Amino acid sequence: MGPKSPFQSILDKHRPDIKTYESIYREFHQNPELSTLENETSAKIAEHLKAISRDLDIRTGIGGTGLIAICKNGSGPTILLRSDMDGLPVEEETGLQYASTKRMTDAIDNVEKPVMHACGHDAHMTCNIGAAETLLKARDEWSGTIVFLFQPAEEIARGAQAMVDDGLFESKKHGCPIPDVLLGQHVLPLPPGKVVTKPGTIMCAADSFRITVYGKGGHGSMPHLCIDPVVLASSIVMKLQTIVSRETPPRESAVVTVASFHAGDTANVISDQAVLQVNIRTVSEHSRKIAVDAVYRIVKGECQMAKCPKEPLFERLNQYPLTTNDAGLAGKVQQSFGSHFGDQHQILEAPFSGSEDFQNLATAVKKPSFFWGWSATDPDTWKKREKEGTLDQLPSNHSSSFTTSIPGTLATGIDAMVVAALTFVGKSR
């Protein structure tokens, strides 16, 4: 067994009781809230933070339900540790005793929906609170300012920018100290105990659209008198598949997905319109422009060929930036993670295909940031699936069966945030 990392003694001495955080996690998991509606979640976070220390400067109501907790501890760098808070409109099918049965009316479309923490934000919040308790207990070991930020509405790509637009970093508004470094993490269905990093782009940009194409409706027996939007939209769907295979650079991965197609309501009536919902994922601004421009060009071209009575309607649903890790920060955090986690730390070769709005916080203040992933997977589940040869069927983020292993995932997530923070504010740095 090798020597302990320089962080291990601090964690051994100051790491909080993990059973307390198991309870906090279950509470969050059982009570998820949809994007922009995280009122109870935000209040519960503030309650837990106040219980940790009266010295935390807690500021709420930022960009809706967002909040920050500021800990000033002498001179030194200012760092920001971020987690997101919102759940998803998914009906939980995990079978857990603490599974969510909650339903909420979605603020976006005013429709009641089931709600689940299907993306691990419950673990993100729990670990950020756990990191706060650890670092406050370990004040003698570091010097500087730490901001613990809890962000709403990540799932609709609005929360980070909403906090910025509401004056998060403005002295006359919410007055968050300008961080020198911004840090964040995300649970993923990785091998148990893994912490993964990557310099440069670690998560894709994402652009989502609702596209309405207009035809000419009529009787199903007389298609020659109509302009059939189903045939038109079907042609568009097939042509969009050529963007990745024929337009984006082969060296760069990209995804173009038509996830929703709606037209008509009955068998013998040709509709007068069809609606597609399209999602584009890219790993560079260059390939992003190629793909987005191609979607517009293909849709407009197909509509012109079909002699549509009017131009298609493009509605942007959301837009996620590239999540890009600063090279200088990457070297420092990866060295710390390698020292602390050993072989459980892995440096990725390619970005994840998922997307995040974390980068908007860093862009707003033009400061470097670093984002990493860590495992949500239960060791026994992994072993069982590995033996069965069904690892490819492990539920991923956004699945109704996605679960976070406790206590292992929580312990690793708290450690990772503390180690990353001490990399920049630790007295031994």
Side-chain angles (χ1 to χ4, degrees):
M1 186 173 179
K4 283 187 176 183
S5 79
F7 309 101
Q8 191 63 56
S9 60
I10 297 173
L11 286 162
D12 287 346
K13 184 177 180 180
H14 300 291
R15 187 190 289 113
D17 181 4
I18 201 66
K19 288 195 176 297
T20 298
Y21 283 87
E22 289 181 44
S23 177
I24 292 172
Y25 167 79
R26 291 190 181 98
E27 180 182 43
F28 283 140
H29 186 87
Q30 202 163 26
N31 297 282
E33 294 178 294
L34 292 173
S35 303
T36 75
L37 302 174
E38 310 92 341
N39 295 291
E40 291 181 12
T41 302
S42 182
K44 188 59 67 175
I45 291 169
E47 181 182 316
H48 286 304
L49 291 171
K50 288 174 184 175
I52 289 171
S53 173
R54 293 181 181 179
D55 294 335
L56 281 171
D57 179 358
I58 300 171
R59 304 176 188 183
T60 61
I62 308 173
T65 60
L67 69 152
I68 57 174
I70 304 165
C71 180
K72 294 183 177 181
N73 187 35
S75 61
T78 296
I79 64 168
L80 184 149
L81 298 176
R82 174 266 197 179
S83 61
D84 36 18
M85 306 191 296
D86 50 332
L88 283 160
V90 173
E91 188 159 8
E92 183 162 354
E93 297 179 343
T94 61
L96 294 168
Q97 289 185 340
Y98 50 91
S100 169
T101 58
K102 193 160 185 179
R103 299 185 68 86
M104 294 184 78
T105 299
D106 197 328
I108 296 174
D109 55 15
N110 205 37
V111 175
E112 185 181 86
K113 300 172 183 177
V115 194
M116 176 190 174
H117 269 303
C119 199
H121 296 187
D122 43 1
H124 299 174
M125 293 181 282
T126 303
C127 291
N128 207 7
I129 298 168
E133 181 173 354
T134 307
L135 289 162
L136 263 72
K137 286 180 176 178
R139 276 185 163 192
D140 291 344
E141 306 291 344
W142 61 274
S143 181
T145 298
I146 303 179
V147 179
F148 304 93
L149 183 145
F150 297 83
Q151 177 208 305
E154 184 278 331
E155 295 293 356
I156 58 173
R158 296 182 190 174
Q161 196 60 47
M163 293 185 77
V164 170
D165 292 344
D166 191 34
L168 170 65
F169 296 114
E170 295 174 18
S171 58
K172 293 182 179 180
K173 198 70 184 289
H174 297 291
C176 178
I178 304 297
D180 298 299
V181 174
L182 295 89
L183 303 167
Q185 62 178 2
H186 205 299
V187 288
L188 297 161
L190 300 166
K194 283 288 183 186
V195 177
V196 294
T197 60
K198 182 184 178 300
T201 300
I202 189 169
M203 299 192 84
C204 292
D207 297 89
S208 295
F209 298 89
R210 182 186 295 114
I211 302 170
T212 305
V213 295
Y214 300 97
K216 180 183 176 185
H219 201 286
S221 66
M222 294 178 275
H224 60 293
L225 300 179
C226 306
I227 298 174
D228 191 339
V230 173
V231 175
L232 164 63
S234 297
S235 180
I236 289 171
V237 171
M238 297 307 296
K239 288 288 195 307
L240 292 179
Q241 307 313 305
T242 66
I243 295 173
V244 174
S245 65
R246 289 296 176 268
E247 297 202 41
T248 56
R251 67 183 180 277
E252 294 189 10
S253 62
V255 177
V256 178
T257 299
V258 181
S260 173
F261 184 142
H262 180 78
D265 295 299
T266 190
N268 64 346
V269 177
I270 292 174
S271 176
D272 60 1
Q273 68 178 42
V275 180
L276 303 174
Q277 294 194 84
V278 181
N279 180 251
I280 306 163
R281 307 266 175 170
T282 47
V283 296
S284 75
E285 291 299 339
H286 175 65
S287 58
R288 182 181 204 172
K289 186 177 188 307
I290 290 173
V292 171
D293 287 352
V295 169
Y296 277 89
R297 188 189 71 247
I298 288 168
V299 172
K300 289 179 178 179
E302 290 292 312
C303 288
Q304 186 176 14
M305 287 173 50
K307 299 180 181 179
C308 292
K310 60 179 179 178
E311 290 290 309
L313 174 65
F314 293 85
E315 300 171 85
R316 185 177 283 279
L317 300 178
N318 57 53
Q319 184 175 15
Y320 287 90
L322 290 164
T323 302
T324 305
N325 286 333
D326 177 83
L329 299 190
K332 293 176 181 178
V333 178
Q334 287 172 339
Q335 183 178 4
S336 294
F337 281 0
S339 170
H340 185 73
F341 294 109
D343 293 342
Q344 289 293 69
H345 170 236
Q346 177 184 349
I347 299 176
L348 301 173
E349 294 183 3
F352 291 110
S353 56
S355 303
E356 257 283 350
D357 69 348
F358 165 73
Q359 194 74 40
N360 288 336
L361 296 169
T363 299
V365 289
K366 298 179 182 179
K367 295 293 184 178
S369 61
F370 191 80
F371 196 80
W372 65 89
W374 94 102
S375 173
T377 311
D378 176 69
D380 292 337
T381 300
W382 183 273
K383 288 177 185 176
K384 180 175 181 292
R385 288 191 174 274
E386 191 172 39
K387 185 176 181 180
E388 296 171 346
T390 59
L391 282 174
D392 59 335
Q393 297 173 29
L394 194 70
S396 64
N397 304 71
H398 291 214
S399 164
S400 61
S401 300
F402 181 77
T403 60
T404 298
S405 169
I406 55 174
T409 294
L410 303 182
T412 301
I414 291 171
D415 280 13
M417 294 199 92
V418 171
V419 168
L422 291 175
T423 299
F424 300 100
V425 297
K427 288 184 177 178
S428 62
R429 66 183 183 277

